[in-house]
Amino acid sequence: MLNAMRERGTGRAELRGDCERCFGLCCVALPFTRSADFPVDKDAGTPCGNLREDSRCGIHARLRPEGFTGCTVYDCFGAGQKVSQVTFGGQDWRTGPPGHARRMFEVFPVVRHLHELLWYLTEALTLPAARPVHADVRRMLAETERLTAAAPEELAALDVAAHRQRVNALLLRTSELMRAGVRGKKKNRRNADLMGARLKGADLRGADLRGAYLIAADLTGADLRGADLIGADLRGADLTDADLTGAFFLTQPQLTAARGSAGTKLPEPLSRPAHWTADA
């Protein structure tokens, strides 16, 4: 996959969920709890009641009206098809030998974490200001890709947290290089509790918003150009007419969890969520 990534530039198309090549792993392996995101409880390893025998969702077109908002904002970063077709050779969890389903469900979250890291590392290579660390990023990208190709037993035993720490050190350096090129005073709101904050029209250019809690925050018309948004919780945040041009380490699930409008400016290669409207 790594060579394919290089041939296609960023390669991020390979790091998006492809349900056609997956056995509905996120609908079985992961748990969910009755909340604003889900109308029912489900244990890990138990198939969702809406999962059909063909591994498709029976209410896909009605997920939001039915209360399954959490499903609409989830993306496995391509881990579903990787585990289904590569790690387990295309063998469905329903028909495999004893223990096959359990091991598949153990491995899926591990590969999902690794693929999320691949997304960030691949993005880092597209950022010109981060050129001083590109060689290290390429090495870490290759190592992370190698880990995703490991056998199920190795993946299940992998210390994902330790690997994430090593990757994060590079991403932090990338963030510093990127934000250094943004003019003006840059706010550091890393891991800040900004839930429901009134940030309408705020100047957040080059801000460090890593891990910030921006749930239901009013970011209408805010200037987020060049901001680091890795891990920021944007559930219910209002991004109407906000400018996210050049914002980095932002993912499609983060955008989909937020609200926005036709006037919201997005960084490439992210797309405007279908539920955003011109007058949101």
Side-chain angles (χ1 to χ4, degrees):
M1 182 187 291
L2 185 57
N3 289 334
M5 283 180 180
R6 289 169 178 159
E7 291 170 3
R8 282 192 288 271
T10 66
R12 280 181 279 183
E14 291 294 314
L15 298 174
R16 296 181 188 275
D18 183 354
C19 298
E20 295 296 322
R21 293 190 287 151
C22 179
F23 298 128
L25 294 183
C26 64
C27 305
V28 188
L30 306 179
F32 51 72
T33 303
R34 186 191 298 268
S35 62
D37 294 323
F38 299 100
V40 295
D41 296 325
K42 187 189 83 65
D43 293 330
T46 301
C48 173
N50 298 308
L51 183 66
R52 303 186 317 208
E53 286 299 315
D54 63 357
S55 296
R56 300 295 171 264
C57 175
I59 62 167
H60 186 266
R62 309 190 311 278
L63 283 169
R64 282 183 174 270
E66 296 282 348
F68 287 86
T69 303
C71 296
T72 69
V73 303
Y74 180 79
D75 191 331
C76 69
F77 293 97
Q81 63 262 29
K82 182 68 169 284
V83 172
S84 296
Q85 303 301 329
V86 178
T87 312
F88 288 89
Q91 190 167 44
D92 196 328
W93 54 269
R94 298 175 179 85
T95 58
H100 174 81
R102 177 184 57 78
R103 181 49 55 89
M104 188 177 252
F105 301 154
E106 287 176 351
V107 164
F108 172 64
V110 174
V111 177
R112 196 270 182 191
H113 282 304
L114 293 174
H115 270 228
E116 183 179 4
L117 296 177
L118 286 176
W119 174 277
Y120 296 133
L121 290 166
T122 304
E123 180 176 356
L125 290 177
T126 72
L127 305 175
R131 193 169 288 113
V133 295
H134 278 181
D136 290 333
V137 171
R138 288 190 186 93
R139 283 190 287 271
M140 188 62 73
L141 182 66
E143 180 180 345
T144 305
E145 177 60 26
R146 179 185 60 77
L147 290 174
T148 69
E153 295 75 18
E154 296 176 78
L155 285 165
L158 180 66
D159 187 343
V160 178
H163 185 69
R164 181 179 286 274
Q165 283 185 339
R166 294 176 59 212
V167 172
N168 192 50
L170 274 177
L171 299 181
L172 278 169
R173 180 60 181 143
T174 298
S175 177
E176 292 167 355
L177 291 167
M178 283 294 294
R179 293 183 297 104
V182 179
R183 292 182 179 180
K185 186 176 182 179
K186 294 171 280 291
K187 296 180 174 63
N188 182 355
R189 305 311 301 272
R190 187 183 303 180
N191 299 320
D193 184 350
L194 298 170
M195 291 191 288
R198 298 176 181 176
L199 297 167
K200 184 175 182 178
D203 182 358
L204 295 168
R205 287 174 295 173
D208 183 351
L209 291 165
R210 296 170 65 90
Y213 295 94
L214 288 158
I215 300 170
D218 182 3
L219 289 160
T220 303
D223 192 342
L224 290 151
R225 288 177 292 173
D228 182 350
L229 288 161
I230 193 168
D233 194 335
L234 295 170
R235 285 178 292 170
D238 192 348
L239 294 172
T240 298
D241 296 334
D243 190 347
L244 291 126
T245 306
F248 55 98
F249 298 151
L250 177 67
T251 66
Q252 194 65 47
Q254 285 172 290
L255 277 183
T256 306
R259 296 181 291 133
S261 68
T264 306
K265 297 178 182 178
L266 304 178
E268 295 182 355
L270 303 181
S271 58
R272 201 172 308 280
H275 66 279
W276 286 16
T277 60
D279 58 352

